[in-house]
Amino acid sequence: MNDIMSYEENYAIPFEELLKKYQEFWKKFTNIPKYSPFSLMEETTNIGKNLQDLLIVSSKMQYFTVNYISQITKTYAEALDKLPIKDIKYEIKSEQDLKKYRNILIGTLEDSFTNLFQSKEFGILVSDIMSTYSDYNKLLKNITNTFLVSLNLTNKDDIDSILKEMQELKRQVRDIRKTMDIIISEDKKIVK
């Protein structure tokens, strides 16, 4: 297998096969003997693997997003092709003509996009986009946490726990203020 491929060779390959070839290349790269002058530290190897996974997930996101955009564009084109040309006046002279044209256009777009949104393929595509976006965020978090820990800085988990504690403290202060307001108002009633 040749590791270097031209653009024309990559263009005709389905996405899954391209990913498989990419993963095979990186497996060869990470199989450097551990006790050689070229051996990598374990932390560097993990970062390299995370970066490799991030590139794969980014590629998937791009692939699914292009498919999403192409389906939306195709639906617009199909909707505009379905417009009944005989009912549309090209010379819009009154507001009534404009409203009629707008209603026809909106009805056609609504029908086309309803069919698209109800299709199984579109649901699977949106699900794929959301899951790859979630994977991307997890991998990015892992990479940044590794760097932050090695630099002795707070990572996202620490910041999240601090923010959670701050929210709890704000809630407690609000409850204390409410209790104090009730006590003060009762004291004012007793004094009168």
Side-chain angles (χ1 to χ4, degrees):
M1 181 181 99
N2 187 6
D3 290 334
I4 300 173
M5 296 177 63
S6 69
Y7 175 77
E8 291 79 23
E9 290 172 323
N10 279 329
Y11 186 71
I13 297 175
F15 183 72
E16 289 76 19
E17 285 183 40
L18 196 61
L19 277 178
K20 188 177 174 184
K21 289 183 179 189
Y22 179 77
Q23 288 171 331
E24 287 173 5
F25 169 78
W26 279 100
K27 280 182 186 176
K28 289 179 186 178
F29 179 76
T30 57
N31 283 337
I32 297 172
K34 289 204 178 232
Y35 303 107
S36 72
F38 303 107
S39 66
L40 302 172
M41 297 184 327
E42 184 176 338
E43 185 176 299
T44 308
T45 305
N46 289 338
I47 292 171
K49 182 175 178 352
N50 284 337
L51 287 173
Q52 174 193 354
D53 292 342
L54 189 68
L55 287 171
I56 291 170
V57 169
S58 298
S59 300
K60 284 182 181 181
M61 280 177 58
Q62 181 181 9
Y63 176 77
F64 294 137
T65 304
V66 167
N67 283 343
Y68 177 86
I69 291 169
S70 67
Q71 282 194 16
I72 296 290
T73 305
K74 180 179 161 189
T75 303
Y76 269 115
E78 288 174 358
L80 294 177
D81 286 343
K82 290 180 186 177
L83 280 174
I85 295 180
K86 61 184 176 189
D87 293 341
I88 298 172
K89 296 180 183 176
Y90 289 102
E91 294 181 25
I92 299 174
K93 296 180 180 178
S94 67
E95 191 174 326
Q96 195 75 357
D97 291 341
L98 182 64
K99 285 183 179 179
K100 183 179 178 185
Y101 174 75
R102 193 174 117 208
N103 288 338
I104 292 170
L105 180 63
I106 289 173
T108 306
L109 287 171
E110 185 178 353
D111 291 342
S112 295
F113 277 98
T114 300
N115 291 337
L116 174 69
F117 296 149
Q118 289 177 347
S119 71
K120 183 178 180 180
E121 296 83 20
F122 188 76
I124 292 170
L125 180 61
V126 170
S127 174
D128 289 340
I129 290 172
M130 298 306 285
S131 67
T132 53
Y133 180 75
S134 175
D135 293 343
Y136 180 84
N137 283 334
K138 287 177 189 173
L139 287 168
L140 200 58
K141 180 181 170 185
N142 288 342
I143 291 169
T144 56
N145 280 347
T146 303
F147 284 117
L148 291 174
V149 167
S150 65
L151 295 172
N152 201 19
L153 298 171
T154 56
N155 58 23
K156 182 150 177 25
D157 294 334
D158 295 337
I159 293 171
D160 287 345
S161 66
I162 290 170
L163 289 174
K164 190 175 181 180
E165 288 176 17
M166 283 177 54
Q167 289 295 328
E168 183 61 33
L169 288 172
K170 284 181 181 180
R171 198 172 299 121
Q172 289 174 358
V173 168
R174 189 183 65 234
D175 291 343
I176 290 171
R177 284 187 178 157
K178 283 182 182 179
T179 306
M180 286 176 57
D181 288 342
I182 292 171
I183 292 172
I184 290 172
S185 67
E186 288 177 359
D187 285 346
K188 287 182 181 179
K189 288 179 185 179
I190 293 175
V191 170
K192 289 182 181 181

